[in-house]
């Protein structure tokens, strides 16, 4: 490689809206972002897809999301080409291209590009990071994970976190440490080779978890509420120039309560959750700062092209109207209360909670735009701050760039800066053209006309089209409200905005300019057809399934089985099932886990010994926790432990009868009033012989491993395809990634 090839660092922060960070007028102090902006460029018309996996697929391939199979998140992949979450070989990743041109490549943090059914120990692994061009990967595969007890992988091997909360472990800090170590080793071994590192932090996606000292930095700073915060932020945005002075505040969504209309209790709970989010975001920026400091200490920063993307979508509205101390409550269709949130205020942000803030704060964090994450129709869902820093390649510093760009433009920009042509063939496969355009033309010329003039958007039926400064859009489905069922897409109401004069999409021109609206709708139809966009309310019926399909009604795991992610585990929701463990018990009277799935804040289930008694714990989102215990202590020796759950309802989350057996004899039984409908957390690991994270039951801790040997665990399932379909629809209604 020549000296003209820069190192590349892409930093992607999760779930952060346009109006959150201080460099873009927001209330959250992000000094690293400000430092890079002061010496680089701020792009105030940069766009994502409004959802996690599609943004990442577009970011890493330079193509439109549906064109590479990512019209949705990997949790909901279907058999439809634009939504199967299987990147085609005709769309090589940036890592593949750079690696083929002499770069060392490494990814750290959140991936969320592997179909859920492929995340088990049998893979296939070609859609894991190390199969997508990264020589090294350290992070997690799903859309979210616990910040204190993450579901980590080193390459394709599951590993435990190197510390505990008591030892001050936090995932964001761990990821920064790993990235810095990798670059140091790479520079020591081959300083002549450029590197590409991708740091995709799980923050600030829920669960909002950060040490208390960071949360407390914002104590009392949001008492004025979300409506007033929008006004404060917009004034600051005008002052900074990231929103022109003529850019107006968009209308408040009428189904979300105004701050002053809420009770004092509701306001206090919402205030506590926003303080937590802000502290989490600043802590995230601090870890990025540690990476930047390390690159500077190594003398590599000036020659590193840094893209700091503040959000893979707009701010998250999944916290509902009041927020929650535990997101699983909402995702299971249950209700948290402000009183409960306040009761847990000392725990908020710690490992026993999985909080999310209310949607009102999400609107405030998307100031001045309409809507939030998932709503691809409006800029509140799609417009995110971008900071570009490259001292040796950009003459300008501390300036704003107003050229309109999309996340697929990052790959062409990197290749342009590195002097690498867009590959025509990779691995013997002809490549589909990139949809992105290089942004390099704008680096040193703020007045250069836009080179990106058209871009479609579609997520969960919410859709829009940007074309030559105009936007036509329609919201088909509202986040955190029941899915629209079979409502025809033709009934959706379209809006029209001239963003050449109306920067914030504040004035809907659909009625006064019907001919322009029709013109843009035709452009959308053309782009949608070309990119495999499918408007079909029944698509979720074609979801790909995991190990619980009718083909496998029984699954047996060895006692040495590594942890399994939820989508690679049997789906036990809303069905009768049995867990049978073949064990050798060494001592009586001890406490230890036989098999478990989930954790305290996530909810889940566990089969274990408590003081020698066989016990089953059913935990629904840490709201409803019930135990069923054996009548006697189990003596040492070889045993067969069995738990039978006899589901009693036809719907979701119904009651069930529990029967416990030891060596074929019934030793305990009871009825549990509720079961988990469909969600046990983004981590939700299935573990044999131990638990993961904060224990599902307060009976034991994650240190209480089974005293003896678990030889095998068998899971037997019944056929409940009708209830599975109902649960799938519910999962979509409360999409969480």
């Amino acid at each position: 490689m020549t000296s003209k090839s820069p190192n590349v660092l892409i930093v992607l922060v999760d779930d952060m809206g346009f109006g959150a960070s201080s460099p873009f007028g927001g209330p959250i102090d992000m000094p690293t972002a400000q430092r890079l902006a002061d010496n680089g460029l701020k792009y105030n018309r940069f766009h994502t897809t409004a959802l996690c996996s599609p943004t990442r697929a577009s970011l890493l391939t330079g193509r439109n999301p549906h064109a590479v199979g990512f019209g949705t998140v990997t949790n909901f992949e279907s058999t439809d080409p634009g939504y199967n979450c299987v990147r085609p070989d005709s769309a090589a990743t940036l890592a593949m291209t750079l690696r083929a041109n002499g770069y060392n490549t490494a990814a750290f943090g959140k991936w969320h590009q592997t179909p859920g059914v492929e995340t088990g120990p049998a893979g296939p692994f070609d859609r894991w990071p190390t199969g997508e061009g990264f020589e090294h990967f350290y992070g997690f595969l799903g859309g979210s994970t616990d910040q204190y007890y993450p579901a980590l992988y080193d390459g394709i091997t599951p590993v435990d976190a190197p510390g505990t909360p008591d030892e001050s472990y936090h995932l964001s800090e761990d990821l920064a440490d790993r990235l810095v170590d990798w670059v140091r080793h790479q520079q020591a071994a081959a300083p002549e080779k450029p590197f590409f590192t991708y740091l995709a932090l799980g923050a600030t996606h829920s669960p909002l978890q950060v040490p208390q000292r960071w949360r407390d930095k914002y104590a009392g700073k949001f008492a004025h509420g979300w409506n007033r915060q929008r006004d404060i932020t917009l004034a600051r945005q005008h002052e900074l120039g990231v929103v022109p002075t003529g850019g107006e505040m968009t209308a408040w969504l009428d189904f979300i309560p105004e701050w002053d209309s809420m009770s004092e209790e509701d306001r206090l709970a919402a205030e506590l959750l926003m303080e937590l989010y802000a502290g989490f975001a600043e802590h995230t920026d601090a870890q990025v700062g540690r990476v930047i400091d390390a690159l500077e200490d190594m003398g590599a920063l000036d020659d590193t092209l840094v893209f700091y993307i503040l959000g893979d979508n707009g701010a998250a509205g999944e916290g509902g109207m009041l927020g929650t101390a535990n997101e699983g409550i909402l995702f299971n269709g249950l209700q948290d209360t402000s009183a409960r949130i306040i009761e847990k205020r000392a725990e908020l942000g710690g490992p026993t909670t999985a909080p999310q803030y209310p949607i009102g704060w999400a609107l405030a964090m998307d100031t001045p735009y309409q809507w939030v994450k998932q709503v691809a129709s409006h800029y509140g869902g799609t417009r995110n701050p971008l900071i570009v820093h490259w001292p040796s390649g950009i003459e300008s510093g501390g300036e704003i760039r107003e050229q309109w760009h999309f996340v697929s433009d990052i790959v062409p920009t990197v290749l342009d800066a590195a002097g690498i042509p867009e590959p025509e063939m990779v691995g013997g496969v002809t490549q589909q053209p990139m949809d992105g355009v290089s942004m390099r033309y704008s680096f040193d010329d703020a007045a250069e006309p836009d080179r990106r003039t058209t871009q479609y958007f579609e997520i969960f039926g919410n859709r829009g089209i940007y074309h030559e400064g105009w936007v036509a859009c329609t919201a088909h489905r509202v986040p955190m409200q029941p899915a629209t069922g079979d409502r025809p897409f033709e009934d959706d109401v379209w809006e029209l905005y001239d963003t050449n004069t109306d920067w914030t999409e504040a004035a809907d021109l659909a009625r006064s300019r019907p001919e322009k609206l029709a013109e843009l709708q035709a452009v959308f139809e053309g782009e949608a057809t070309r990119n495999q966009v499918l408007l079909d309310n029944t698509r979720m019926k074609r979801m790909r399934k995991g190990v619980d399909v009718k083909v496998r009604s029984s699954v047996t795991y060895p006692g040495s089985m590594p942890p399994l992610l939820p989508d690679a585990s049997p789906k036990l929701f809303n069905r009768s099932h049995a867990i049978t463990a073949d064990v050798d018990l060494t001592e009586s009277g001890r406490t230890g886990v036989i098999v478990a799935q989930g954790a305290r804040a996530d909810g889940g289930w566990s089969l274990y010994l408590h003081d020698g008694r066989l016990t089953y714990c059913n935990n629904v989102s840490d709201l409803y926790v019930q135990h069923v215990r054996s009548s006697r202590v189990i003596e040492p020796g070889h045993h067969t432990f069995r738990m039978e759950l006899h589901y009693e309802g036809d719907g979701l989350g119904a009651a069930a009868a529990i029967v416990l057996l030891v060596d074929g004899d019934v030793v305990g039984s009871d009825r549990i009033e509720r079961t988990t409908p469909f969600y046990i957390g983004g981590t939700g690991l299935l573990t044999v012989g131990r638990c993961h994270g904060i224990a599902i039951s307060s009976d034991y801790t994650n240190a209480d491993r089974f005293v003896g040997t678990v030889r095998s665990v068998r899971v037997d399932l019944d056929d409940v395809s009708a209830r599975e379909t109902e649960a799938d629809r519910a999962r979509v209604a409360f999409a969480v990634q």
Side-chain angles (χ1 to χ4, degrees):
M1 299 299 298
T2 70
S3 59
K4 294 182 181 180
S5 297
N7 304 313
V8 179
L9 168 63
I10 297 177
V11 178
L12 182 60
V13 176
D14 217 320
D15 282 9
M16 180 170 287
F18 185 86
S21 67
S22 54
F24 283 78
I28 301 169
D29 189 21
M30 300 188 73
T32 301
Q34 188 64 57
R35 169 188 173 187
L36 295 175
D38 288 343
N39 295 286
L41 304 172
K42 290 193 292 189
Y43 283 79
N44 62 351
R45 290 205 299 163
F46 179 79
H47 302 82
T48 60
T49 70
L51 198 62
C52 171
S53 296
T55 290
R56 292 158 199 270
S58 192
L59 169 66
L60 294 175
T61 66
R63 278 87 172 182
N64 286 327
H66 299 74
V68 294
F70 277 85
T72 187
V73 287
T74 60
N75 312 72
F76 305 137
E77 77 270 21
S78 71
T79 56
D80 301 307
Y83 303 83
N84 60 18
C85 295
V86 176
R87 180 191 58 80
D89 292 336
S90 59
T93 67
L94 176 60
M96 290 174 168
T97 301
L98 293 183
R99 182 175 176 179
N101 283 272
Y103 276 73
N104 285 131
T105 59
F108 301 87
K110 176 175 173 176
W111 182 242
H112 212 194
Q113 296 290 284
T114 305
V117 298
E118 298 181 8
T119 59
F125 299 108
D126 47 346
R127 281 177 282 276
W128 289 47
T130 51
E132 300 256 73
F134 289 103
E135 296 166 308
H136 178 72
F137 170 66
Y138 180 83
F140 60 100
L141 293 177
S144 64
T145 196
D146 193 281
Q147 294 289 313
Y148 299 105
Y149 293 99
L152 284 173
Y153 288 83
D154 190 342
I156 63 172
T157 304
V159 295
D160 289 333
T164 67
D166 291 339
E167 297 168 321
S168 300
Y169 177 84
H170 191 278
L171 176 60
S172 298
E173 298 174 14
D174 186 16
L175 296 175
D177 289 342
R178 299 286 179 141
L179 187 153
V180 169
D181 283 348
W182 182 85
V183 173
R184 282 177 176 154
H185 298 161
Q186 186 272 346
Q187 289 286 282
E192 74 284 357
K193 293 185 67 173
F195 59 80
F196 166 40
T197 56
Y198 172 49
L199 176 59
L201 294 143
T204 51
H205 195 292
S206 61
L208 307 182
Q209 294 173 319
V210 74
Q212 183 176 343
R213 66 183 182 278
W214 292 89
R215 181 195 75 187
D216 290 350
K217 292 184 70 172
Y218 288 88
K221 293 189 177 181
F222 296 102
H224 50 266
W226 43 59
N227 298 100
R228 176 60 183 145
Q229 184 60 58
R230 293 179 89 212
D231 294 335
I232 295 170
T233 297
L234 182 57
R236 180 62 176 154
Q237 289 171 333
H238 286 158
E239 180 183 340
L240 293 173
V242 294
V243 173
T245 53
E248 300 178 13
M249 182 72 76
T250 56
W252 184 256
L253 295 176
D254 57 9
F255 68 89
I256 298 174
E258 301 268 354
W259 184 260
D260 290 341
S261 72
M262 297 168 62
S263 69
E264 182 177 346
E265 185 177 61
D266 289 347
R267 290 198 300 267
L268 176 57
E271 186 181 343
L272 293 171
L273 293 169
M274 184 57 206
E275 292 169 6
L276 176 59
Y277 176 82
F280 193 18
E282 184 176 343
H283 174 264
T284 303
D285 183 75
Q287 309 322 307
V288 179
R290 293 173 54 232
V291 172
I292 297 302
D293 287 343
L295 293 178
E296 186 171 47
D297 291 344
M298 285 182 264
L301 183 59
D302 284 358
D303 294 323
T304 300
L305 173 56
V306 179
F307 296 90
Y308 194 178
I309 307 171
L310 298 177
D312 55 355
N313 40 239
E318 289 113 357
M321 300 304 167
L322 299 178
T324 180
N326 176 8
E327 61 183 356
I329 295 172
L330 302 182
F331 298 152
N332 275 312
L334 304 172
Q335 295 295 319
D336 207 346
T337 64
S338 294
R340 183 176 179 275
I341 295 168
I342 294 168
E343 180 184 341
K344 289 183 171 288
R345 65 187 302 171
E347 299 177 56
L348 292 177
T352 60
T353 62
Q356 179 60 291
Y357 64 11
I359 192 173
W361 285 122
L363 284 180
M365 294 303 99
D366 283 331
T367 300
Y369 303 110
Q370 299 181 63
W371 286 106
V372 294
K373 172 185 175 181
Q374 299 185 28
V375 187
S377 52
H378 293 73
Y379 282 161
T382 63
R383 180 162 285 181
N384 287 93
L386 168 66
I387 297 169
V388 179
H389 183 271
W390 185 24
S392 66
I394 300 176
E395 295 179 2
S396 307
E399 297 182 2
I400 295 172
R401 292 293 181 265
E402 295 185 353
Q403 287 89 348
W404 201 102
H405 280 286
F406 185 66
V407 66
S408 63
D409 299 336
I410 298 294
V411 170
T413 306
V414 171
L415 298 183
D416 189 1
I420 298 172
E422 180 181 328
E424 297 180 0
M425 184 171 290
V426 175
V429 178
T430 300
Q431 297 294 288
Q432 61 194 72
M434 290 189 183
D435 299 297
V437 301
S438 173
M439 303 167 61
R440 195 177 181 190
Y441 73 94
S442 66
F443 282 1
D444 292 312
D445 192 346
E448 183 73 14
D450 293 357
R451 296 187 184 179
R452 162 73 79 166
T453 58
T454 304
Q455 180 60 45
Y456 80 93
F457 298 88
E458 188 274 328
I459 294 294
F460 297 137
N462 299 321
R463 54 207 189 275
I465 183 73
Y466 169 84
H467 183 61
E468 297 178 350
W470 287 80
V471 172
C473 56
T474 182
H476 180 70
R477 190 185 68 82
V478 177
M480 289 308 296
Q481 292 193 3
T484 53
D486 296 326
R487 191 183 87 188
F489 287 92
E490 293 79 6
D491 291 350
D492 292 340
V493 178
W494 283 75
E495 302 165 24
L496 177 69
Y497 300 98
D498 180 5
T499 63
N500 298 294
T501 58
D502 175 19
W503 184 278
T504 61
E505 300 179 332
D508 180 8
L509 304 177
R511 291 188 177 182
S512 61
R513 295 292 304 272
E515 79 292 344
K516 190 67 177 179
L517 176 60
E519 175 190 331
L520 264 71
Q521 287 175 314
V523 175
F524 175 84
E525 290 298 326
E527 291 295 295
T529 300
R530 183 173 69 86
N531 287 282
Q532 307 182 126
V533 174
L534 175 66
L535 301 180
D536 184 354
N537 286 316
T538 68
R539 183 175 61 78
M540 297 312 297
K541 295 180 180 179
R542 298 185 291 279
M543 282 180 63
R544 294 173 66 194
K545 298 292 185 181
V547 298
D548 61 331
V549 212
K550 296 177 185 178
V551 181
R552 297 187 66 189
S553 60
S554 180
V555 184
T556 299
Y557 298 114
S560 59
M561 195 70 185
L564 296 176
L565 288 167
D567 286 334
S569 307
K571 304 298 185 296
L572 306 182
F573 309 126
N574 315 304
R575 70 192 325 171
S576 297
H577 59 270
I579 309 292
T580 305
D582 184 23
V583 305
D584 290 320
L585 181 61
T586 304
E587 300 178 30
S588 64
R590 299 292 297 274
T591 295
V593 176
I594 302 163
V595 58
Q597 186 175 26
R600 182 76 54 79
D602 294 330
W605 58 270
S606 178
L607 185 64
Y608 59 101
L609 291 178
H610 178 248
D611 294 337
R613 298 177 185 272
L614 185 63
T615 304
Y616 176 76
C617 177
N618 174 69
N619 181 331
V620 183
S621 303
D622 205 27
L623 268 187
Y624 306 101
V625 182
Q626 287 183 263
H627 299 82
V628 181
R629 303 188 194 277
S630 68
S631 57
R632 59 182 174 86
V633 172
I634 313 302
E635 296 301 319
H638 178 259
H639 296 287
T640 298
F641 295 156
R642 182 176 174 86
M643 184 284 302
E644 295 179 354
L645 185 148
H646 300 275
Y647 196 69
E648 296 182 354
D650 293 326
L652 306 181
I658 304 296
V659 180
L660 300 179
L661 302 97
V662 175
D663 302 326
D665 297 330
V666 175
V667 295
S669 64
D670 204 349
R671 185 175 187 270
I672 54 176
E673 300 301 321
R674 292 175 181 262
T675 56
T676 300
F678 48 81
Y679 182 84
I680 56 170
T683 302
L685 292 179
L686 177 70
T687 51
V688 177
R690 65 185 181 111
C691 71
H692 177 87
I694 299 294
I696 294 165
S697 169
S698 57
D699 279 352
Y700 61 89
T701 72
N702 65 326
D704 287 317
R705 304 193 175 207
F706 185 71
V707 182
T709 302
V710 179
R711 294 185 176 187
S712 66
V713 172
R714 188 178 78 245
V715 181
D716 296 302
L717 310 166
D718 73 349
D719 176 16
V720 288
S721 55
R723 288 197 295 275
E724 283 182 338
T725 300
E726 186 178 352
D728 289 340
R729 282 197 294 267
R731 290 175 67 206
V732 175
F734 295 95
V736 301
Q737 263 69 40

